[in-house]
C-alpha cells in the first residue's frame, strides 16, 4: 500500500454489479457516474496517461461476475483492481452462502496475482427492516471478505461500519443504491484506503440530524417505492430476469481516462 500521496498507480479496473456501475448517481445523458468513476478521475488527475476500465453491470450475481468479468479484468494487467460482489446473492430468497463464499474466493485467487493492489469492500447497508432481514447473510459475506483479504494481501474498505453511509438520506428512492453524495463518500474511502492523502477526512461523519418525515410522508414514500421499485424487482426474480440482462460492461476497455474534475456537478 502507498504511504503518501505520490501517484504510483497508473491504472484501475473495477469489477462488480450496480454498486460499481454507479447507480444511482445519474449524469445528464442518462448514464451513471458513481464512486469508481470519481476515484478514476482523482487518480488520473495525479498520473498522466492513467487508464481505467469498469466492467460492472447492474444485477449481476457473484457467479456471473466470476464468469464474465474476472478473467477479463485479470488479463488487463492493471495496477489496481476493485472487486465488489455477492450482495445481490444475499438478497435472494434462496441463497447458498457456501457457494457464494466459494465463488468469491475463486475471484480473489484469480485477481490478486494479476494486479499490484486488490481492493475488496464491506458494502454499505441502509438502515431499515430489509437490512435487518438479510444482515446475517451480509455479515457472513463480509467475514469471508476479511479472511480473503488477509490471505491474499488485499485492502478492505469498510463501508458497512461507516455510520454516515447507513443514513437513509444517502440512499436513492429505490432504497438499494447510494445517491451522488453517497458515491462521493465511497470514492473518498477507497482513495484513502489506497494510501492517498485524505481530501475529505470527515467522510465517515454522519449528516446533521433533521426531524424525521411525518407518518403520511413516509407512507406515501412506501407506496411509491413498492410500485416503482419493489414490485418490478419481485417480478424479475419470479421470471428469472435481471436488470442487467443484455447490458454491456460500463467501460469495457482499459483506456486513458478523460481529464475531468472529480466532483464536477453533472447538472
Amino acid at each position: 500500500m502507498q504511504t503518501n500521496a505520490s501517484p504510483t498507480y497508473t491504472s484501475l479496473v473495477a469489477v462488480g454489479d450496480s454498486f460499481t456501475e454507479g447507480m444511482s448517481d445519474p449524469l445528464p445523458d442518462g448514464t451513471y457516474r458513481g464512486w469508481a468513476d470519481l476515484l478514476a478521475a482523482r487518480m488520473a488527475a495525479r498520473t498522466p496517461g492513467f487508464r481505467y476500465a469498469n466492467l460492472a453491470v447492474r444485477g449481476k450475481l457473484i457467479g456471473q461476475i466470476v464468469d464474465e468479468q474476472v478473467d477479463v479484468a485479470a488479463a488487463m494487467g492493471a495496477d489496481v483492481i476493485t472487486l465488489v460482489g455477492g450482495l445481490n446473492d444475499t438478497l435472494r430468497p434462496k441463497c447458498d452462502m457456501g457457494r457464494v463464499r466459494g465463488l468469491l474466493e475463486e475471484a480473489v485467487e484469480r485477481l490478486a496475482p494479476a494486479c499490484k493492489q486488490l481492493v475488496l469492500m464491506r458494502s454499505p447497508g441502509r438502515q431499515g427492516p430489509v437490512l435487518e432481514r438479510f444482515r446475517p447473510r451480509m455479515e457472513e459475506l463480509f467475514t469471508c471478505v476479511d479472511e480473503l483479504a488477509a490471505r491474499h494481501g488485499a485492502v478492505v474498505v469498510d463501508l458497512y461500519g461507516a455510520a454516515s453511509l447507513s443514513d437513509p438520506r444517502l440512499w436513492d428512492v429505490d432504497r438499494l443504491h447510494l445517491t451522488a453524495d453517497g458515491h462521493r463518500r465511497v470514492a473518498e474511502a477507497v482513495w484513502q484506503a489506497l494510501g492517498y492523502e485524505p481530501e475529505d477526512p470527515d467522510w465517515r461523519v454522519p449528516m446533521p440530524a433533521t426531524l424525521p418525515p411525518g407518518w403520511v410522508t413516509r407512507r406515501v414514500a412506501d407506496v411509491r417505492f413498492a410500485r416503482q421499485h419493489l414490485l418490478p424487482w419481485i417480478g424479475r426474480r419470479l421470471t428469472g430476469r435481471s436488470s442487467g440482462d443484455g447490458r454491456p460492461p460500463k467501460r469495457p476497455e482499459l483506456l486513458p481516462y478523460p481529464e475531468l474534475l472529480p466532483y464536477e456537478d453533472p447538472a
Side-chain angles (χ1 to χ4, degrees), residues 19 35 165 169-171 178-187:
F19 174 67
W35 67 265
L165 292 176
R169 291 172 292 176
L170 287 180
W171 293 75
L178 292 170
T179 62
D181 189 33
H183 280 283
R184 180 193 64 78
R185 292 175 186 243
V186 173

Side-chain angles (χ1 to χ4, degrees), residues 123-145:
S123 304
R126 181 184 186 275
Q127 293 176 357
V130 173
L131 175 62
E132 293 306 315
R133 177 181 177 185
F134 296 104
R135 187 184 296 275
R137 288 180 182 174
M138 293 173 61
E139 294 185 347
E140 182 177 350
L141 177 67
F142 299 155
T143 297
C144 181
V145 166

Side-chain angles (χ1 to χ4, degrees), residues 162 164 184-185 188 192 198-207:
S164 60
R184 180 193 64 78
R185 292 175 186 243
E188 176 68 31
Q192 292 185 25
E199 294 189 9
D200 177 12
D202 298 327
W203 74 268
R204 289 178 174 271
V205 176
M207 298 171 64

Side-chain angles (χ1 to χ4, degrees), residues 1 3 29 53 59-60 68 84 96 103 128 130 162 171 195 198 253 265:
M1 184 188 299
T3 57
D29 63 0
K60 293 299 182 181
E68 301 167 13
V84 187
D96 183 347
L103 287 166
V130 173
W171 293 75
E253 297 182 72
D265 186 351

